[in-house]
Amino acid sequence: QVQLMESGGGSAQSGGSLRLSCVVSGFNYRRYCMGWIRQPPNDEREGVARISAEGWITYDDSVKGRFTISHDKVTNTLYLEMNNLQPEDTAIYYCAADFRAVYCSGSWPPGMTFAYESQGTQVTVSS
């Protein structure tokens, strides 16, 4: 059974930092795509960052230079380091994983929905 256990999140002031962690268990694929997606209040889901098994990384333009995604393969933990947070980063953040590695290149999954996702954690940034 695949489980994604997310931690971190919370509140920060504009310009502050937060770190999200996600322990992935039961997910044993040689090739895959993992990532972070978010859903702002009253808005649609959007992709934030993704990383492939080979280490290819892409970011949404809105977070480039501020957010860093990483994956510790030993502990199978996905991280999202968020710096210089802005009020527009306020959203529920989800970690996600999919055995379809193609989702780490080109288009994000349809409906921004991965095969496996965490419960989500709230990130609130105040100005």
Side-chain angles (χ1 to χ4, degrees):
Q1 182 181 359
V2 178
Q3 287 189 317
L4 283 74
M5 296 294 293
E6 186 176 5
S7 61
S11 299
Q13 297 277 347
S14 181
S17 299
L18 287 172
R19 188 195 201 197
L20 303 181
S21 301
C22 178
V23 178
V24 183
S25 59
F27 186 80
N28 302 305
Y29 294 93
R30 187 175 64 85
R31 299 192 71 228
Y32 53 79
C33 181
M34 292 188 180
W36 294 91
I37 52 181
R38 66 186 181 185
Q39 185 159 20
N42 303 312
D43 207 342
E44 296 182 347
R45 286 183 154 207
E46 56 189 37
V48 176
R50 49 189 172 170
I51 183 169
S52 71
E54 296 81 10
W56 292 101
I57 291 174
T58 58
Y59 295 98
D60 183 77
D61 286 346
S62 65
V63 305
K64 277 182 182 176
R66 301 188 298 122
F67 290 13
T68 303
I69 187 173
S70 60
H71 179 221
D72 183 334
K73 291 187 176 183
V74 175
T75 61
N76 210 7
T77 302
L78 188 68
Y79 297 98
L80 185 68
E81 186 75 35
M82 304 183 291
N83 296 315
N84 191 20
L85 283 161
Q86 300 300 315
E88 53 265 35
D89 295 316
T90 294
I92 299 174
Y93 284 72
Y94 303 86
C95 63
D98 204 296
F99 48 85
R100 288 163 285 200
V102 67
Y103 289 153
C104 265
S105 61
S107 300
W108 289 77
M112 204 58 69
T113 301
F114 284 68
Y116 306 100
E117 298 179 357
S118 66
Q119 295 278 53
T121 189
Q122 178 70 45
V123 171
T124 302
V125 184
S126 56
S127 56

